[in-house]
Amino acid sequence: MTKPLLLIDVDGPLNPYAAQRERRPPGYTTHRMRPAGWTETRPLRVWLNPGHGDELRALAGAYELVWATTWKDEANDWIGPHLGLPELPFVDWPEMHGAAPGGTFWKTQYILEYAQGRPFAWVDDDITSYDRAYVERNHLAASLLLHVDPRLGLLRPDFDALADWAAAR
């Protein structure tokens, strides 16, 4: 049996960018990065929790891990190494930040295209009820859309929910 996909956003779930400015959340380390799309003169501040790498590697027994982030393949260069993750496949968005059907987040339609009917769990800070309804109408396989607060990042209950969902399949 094919494992479900675990589609992982970076900014929000792994990098709680909306936490209080200059107050790194507990357990996180600060990294300065210059991915290709970053045009500012100062490097991008990214907060990462090394424990998330352990949690994601544990989930890899039940899921195929995939980057679902605007970082695309650069997540393998800039994020994965800090979390101890191997190189992961990534969603190569045909268009970023474009029009989306029915009030959904721009990623949602492409998530379904990438999944190609496979079961999936998706963690992102931009998931709404519109995305849940769209996926329910347009994706016949099981899915879990897990909204993550971008001020907090992934928490223990999120990892538990992902493990429980995979185990229940």
Side-chain angles (χ1 to χ4, degrees):
M1 180 194 268
T2 304
K3 294 179 188 178
L5 301 167
L6 176 51
L7 301 157
I8 309 161
D9 183 29
V10 169
D11 295 316
L14 296 177
N15 171 29
Y17 68 88
Q20 284 186 324
R21 189 165 174 76
E22 305 303 323
R23 292 199 60 191
R24 182 177 62 214
Y28 285 81
T29 56
T30 301
H31 305 273
R32 302 291 178 189
M33 302 180 181
R34 286 190 180 277
W38 186 250
T39 58
E40 301 292 323
T41 55
R42 296 175 59 188
L44 175 65
R45 184 218 64 216
V46 177
W47 286 325
L48 297 172
N49 184 332
H52 286 166
D54 297 335
E55 297 285 357
L56 291 170
R57 284 190 306 279
L59 288 171
Y63 289 97
E64 177 185 332
L65 305 183
V66 176
W67 295 119
T69 173
T70 57
W71 291 73
K72 298 190 335 180
D73 62 327
E74 286 193 281
N76 285 314
D77 299 326
W78 294 98
I79 306 301
H82 292 290
L83 300 178
L85 296 175
E87 187 166 315
L88 301 177
F90 63 95
V91 179
D92 191 9
W93 314 109
E95 181 180 351
M96 290 197 291
H97 310 288
T104 61
F105 180 39
W106 67 266
K107 287 182 183 178
T108 307
Q109 62 190 323
Y110 302 127
I111 291 289
L112 295 191
E113 287 176 17
Y114 186 88
Q116 295 183 343
R118 283 178 67 182
F120 70 85
W122 174 27
V123 294
D124 203 298
D125 60 306
D126 285 308
I127 293 170
T128 68
S129 60
Y130 294 108
D131 302 295
R132 285 178 177 50
Y134 183 84
V135 170
E136 190 173 307
R137 282 191 315 272
N138 295 289
H139 189 72
L140 299 178
S143 61
L144 172 66
L145 279 65
L146 186 62
H147 177 266
V148 177
D149 186 328
R151 296 168 299 169
L152 304 175
L154 285 163
L155 301 171
R156 169 86 267 133
D158 300 319
F159 290 110
D160 291 343
L162 290 165
D164 292 347
W165 185 81
R169 291 197 9 78

